[in-house]
Every structure is written in structure tokens, then in C-alpha cells.
Amino acid sequence: YTAENSHQCSLRLHQGQQQLQLESAEKLQTSRKQLERNERRIAELKRLFIKIYEDNAKGNLSDERYEMMSQNYEAEQKQLEAEVVALRREIEVQERQNENIERFIRTADKYVDIEEIDPCMLRELIKAIYAEAPDKSSGKRQQTIHIKYDGIGLIPLEELMKKAAA
């Protein structure tokens, strides 16, 4: 493990962190917009329900039509309310993930120009390392290793390599 390998790994990890941060922020923004749309539609459905009720009471809307429309509005409202609950949970998880990514980046920034990995760095940055069984089918011994980073989970090495090459 050389200083050059360390620098390349550090660079790929930093790029991977930036990509994770960007993807997480975009996903959070998309979820918040969807939540806002759902909440606006729920409010609109409540107004529409009052309107059809008044139209029915005035005789401008038949009882059959009122029943059909009110059932449709109620079904849509229930579906949207369930989506709102799920979106709020998802936003909460995404916000925690963003905090974890930011915390991890602050910690990782301390180790940008490292020469070698020490136990303290491992404890701060890495939650677990998984090694698969060796594969000798190609004639050479290959072994895949997965690193689960603290707070952000697994970042596949292929992803880090692709982003470093881009």
C-alpha cells in the first residue's frame, strides 16, 4: 500500500462522497416537492368536496353523480394522505442520511493526505470490512472486499473507479 495508492483512494472516496451528497440532496428536494404537491391536492380535494356537497344540496348535482364524485375524491384523498405519511418518513431518513454524509466528510477530510492507514482512522471511517471467498476460476486468485463506511454504508469500488475516471 503506497502513498500514491493512498492518494488515489482518498481522491476516489472524496469524489464518491461528493456524488453521494449531491444524489441525496437531489432526492430530498424531489421528495419535498412531491410532498408539497400532495398536500396542495389534498387541500384542493377538500374544497372540491365542499363544492359538490353544496351543488348537490342546491339541486345542481344529482345524488348519483354526487355519490360517484365524493367516492372518487375520498379515495384519492386517502391515497394521497398515505403517500404524505410515507414521504415524510422518507424525508426524515434522507435528512439523517445527509447529516451522516456531512459528518463522514468532516471526519474524512482529516485524512486527505495520508501516507498509511492507521487503527484510529479505521475506527473513525470504517464500520465494517467484508471479504468474499477467494475466486481462482480465472487462474489467478482474486478476492472481492467490500468496505462499509461509518454513517454512509457501502460505496461499491466500481462506482468510485467510474467517478474517478470521469
Side-chain angles (χ1 to χ4, degrees), residues 22-70:
L22 181 63
E23 289 170 3
S24 185
E26 287 173 355
K27 191 174 181 183
L28 184 58
Q29 184 178 11
T30 301
S31 295
R32 283 183 175 147
K33 284 181 180 178
Q34 184 62 46
L35 176 63
E36 189 179 309
R37 281 192 299 271
N38 285 9
E39 287 175 336
R40 275 196 316 264
R41 179 62 180 161
I42 289 169
E44 181 182 4
L45 287 169
K46 288 177 181 179
R47 286 189 302 275
L48 289 170
F49 189 78
I50 291 169
K51 174 86 171 102
I52 64 168
Y53 178 79
E54 289 172 353
D55 285 349
N56 180 256
K58 291 177 187 175
N60 297 337
L61 186 65
S62 71
D63 290 343
E64 296 82 24
R65 189 78 168 145
Y66 169 78
E67 279 300 316
M68 183 193 73
M69 292 175 76
S70 66

Side-chain angles (χ1 to χ4, degrees), residues 99-149:
E99 291 169 9
N100 289 342
I101 291 169
E102 288 172 20
R103 186 174 32 256
F104 182 83
I105 288 172
R106 283 193 306 271
T107 303
D109 279 345
K110 294 189 297 188
Y111 301 107
V112 172
D113 293 319
I114 60 166
E115 295 278 328
E116 64 182 64
I117 297 174
D118 64 22
C120 179
M121 183 178 129
L122 282 173
R123 282 189 296 276
E124 278 194 296
L125 296 176
I126 297 173
K127 187 170 188 167
I129 298 175
Y130 304 100
E132 292 183 8
D135 178 17
K136 299 177 188 174
S137 62
S138 66
K140 292 184 180 180
R141 184 180 191 273
Q142 292 183 332
Q143 190 167 14
T144 304
I145 296 174
H146 303 280
I147 300 173
K148 186 173 185 180
Y149 297 94

Side-chain angles (χ1 to χ4, degrees), residues 9-32:
C9 183
S10 176
L11 179 62
R12 286 191 302 265
L13 184 56
H14 188 66
Q15 289 169 339
Q17 294 163 358
Q18 288 174 331
Q19 184 66 28
L20 274 175
Q21 226 174 357
L22 181 63
E23 289 170 3
S24 185
E26 287 173 355
K27 191 174 181 183
L28 184 58
Q29 184 178 11
T30 301
S31 295
R32 283 183 175 147

